[in-house]
Short mmCIF file of all heavy atoms in Angstrom, two decimals:
data_model
loop_
_atom_site.label_atom_id
_atom_site.label_comp_id
_atom_site.label_asym_id
_atom_site.label_seq_id
_atom_site.Cartn_x
_atom_site.Cartn_y
_atom_site.Cartn_z
N PRO A 334 -85.62 36.79 -53.44
CA PRO A 334 -85.99 36.88 -52.02
C PRO A 334 -85.65 35.64 -51.20
O PRO A 334 -85.39 35.76 -50.00
CB PRO A 334 -87.51 37.10 -52.07
CG PRO A 334 -87.93 36.58 -53.41
CD PRO A 334 -86.79 36.84 -54.34
N ILE A 335 -85.63 34.44 -51.82
CA ILE A 335 -85.35 33.20 -51.09
C ILE A 335 -84.18 32.49 -51.76
O ILE A 335 -84.26 32.16 -52.95
CB ILE A 335 -86.58 32.27 -51.07
CG1 ILE A 335 -87.80 33.00 -50.51
CG2 ILE A 335 -86.29 31.01 -50.25
CD1 ILE A 335 -89.09 32.21 -50.61
N PRO A 336 -83.10 32.23 -51.04
CA PRO A 336 -81.96 31.53 -51.66
C PRO A 336 -82.32 30.09 -51.99
O PRO A 336 -83.23 29.51 -51.40
CB PRO A 336 -80.87 31.60 -50.58
CG PRO A 336 -81.59 31.81 -49.30
CD PRO A 336 -82.83 32.57 -49.63
N PRO A 337 -81.63 29.47 -52.94
CA PRO A 337 -81.96 28.11 -53.36
C PRO A 337 -81.99 27.11 -52.22
O PRO A 337 -82.86 26.23 -52.18
CB PRO A 337 -80.86 27.77 -54.37
CG PRO A 337 -80.47 29.10 -54.94
CD PRO A 337 -80.58 30.07 -53.80
N HIS A 338 -81.07 27.22 -51.26
CA HIS A 338 -81.00 26.20 -50.21
C HIS A 338 -82.13 26.35 -49.17
O HIS A 338 -82.27 25.48 -48.30
CB HIS A 338 -79.64 26.22 -49.51
CG HIS A 338 -79.38 27.43 -48.65
ND1 HIS A 338 -79.08 28.65 -49.17
CD2 HIS A 338 -79.37 27.58 -47.30
CE1 HIS A 338 -78.89 29.52 -48.20
NE2 HIS A 338 -79.06 28.90 -47.04
N LYS A 339 -82.93 27.40 -49.29
CA LYS A 339 -84.08 27.55 -48.40
C LYS A 339 -85.41 27.30 -49.14
O LYS A 339 -86.48 27.46 -48.54
CB LYS A 339 -84.10 28.97 -47.81
CG LYS A 339 -82.91 29.27 -46.90
CD LYS A 339 -82.87 28.36 -45.68
CE LYS A 339 -81.73 28.75 -44.74
NZ LYS A 339 -81.65 27.83 -43.57
N GLN A 340 -85.35 26.88 -50.39
CA GLN A 340 -86.55 26.61 -51.15
C GLN A 340 -87.14 25.24 -50.78
O GLN A 340 -86.41 24.31 -50.46
CB GLN A 340 -86.25 26.64 -52.66
CG GLN A 340 -85.78 27.98 -53.18
CD GLN A 340 -86.89 29.01 -53.30
OE1 GLN A 340 -88.07 28.71 -53.11
NE2 GLN A 340 -86.52 30.25 -53.62
N ALA A 341 -88.46 25.13 -50.87
CA ALA A 341 -89.14 23.88 -50.51
C ALA A 341 -88.74 22.73 -51.42
O ALA A 341 -88.74 21.56 -51.00
CB ALA A 341 -90.65 24.07 -50.55
N CYS A 342 -88.39 23.02 -52.66
CA CYS A 342 -88.03 21.94 -53.60
C CYS A 342 -86.71 21.28 -53.23
O CYS A 342 -86.42 20.18 -53.72
CB CYS A 342 -87.99 22.46 -55.02
SG CYS A 342 -86.78 23.75 -55.33
N TYR A 343 -85.91 21.92 -52.41
CA TYR A 343 -84.65 21.34 -51.93
C TYR A 343 -84.67 21.29 -50.40
O TYR A 343 -83.81 21.85 -49.73
CB TYR A 343 -83.45 22.16 -52.43
CG TYR A 343 -83.23 22.05 -53.92
CD1 TYR A 343 -83.32 23.16 -54.75
CD2 TYR A 343 -82.94 20.82 -54.52
CE1 TYR A 343 -83.12 23.07 -56.12
CE2 TYR A 343 -82.74 20.71 -55.89
CZ TYR A 343 -82.83 21.84 -56.68
OH TYR A 343 -82.64 21.73 -58.04
N ARG A 344 -85.67 20.60 -49.87
CA ARG A 344 -85.85 20.53 -48.41
C ARG A 344 -84.63 19.97 -47.70
O ARG A 344 -84.36 20.30 -46.54
CB ARG A 344 -87.08 19.68 -48.08
CG ARG A 344 -88.41 20.34 -48.43
CD ARG A 344 -89.59 19.49 -48.02
NE ARG A 344 -90.86 20.14 -48.32
CZ ARG A 344 -91.47 20.08 -49.51
NH1 ARG A 344 -90.90 19.38 -50.49
NH2 ARG A 344 -92.60 20.70 -49.71
N GLU A 345 -83.89 19.10 -48.39
CA GLU A 345 -82.73 18.49 -47.75
C GLU A 345 -81.64 19.51 -47.43
O GLU A 345 -80.74 19.23 -46.62
CB GLU A 345 -82.15 17.39 -48.65
CG GLU A 345 -81.57 17.84 -49.98
CD GLU A 345 -82.60 17.93 -51.11
OE1 GLU A 345 -83.81 18.10 -50.81
OE2 GLU A 345 -82.19 17.83 -52.28
#
Side-chain angles (χ1 to χ4, degrees):
I335 305 173
H338 70 284
K339 296 298 184 182
Q340 297 285 354
C342 62
Y343 291 118
R344 289 183 178 85
E345 65 273 25

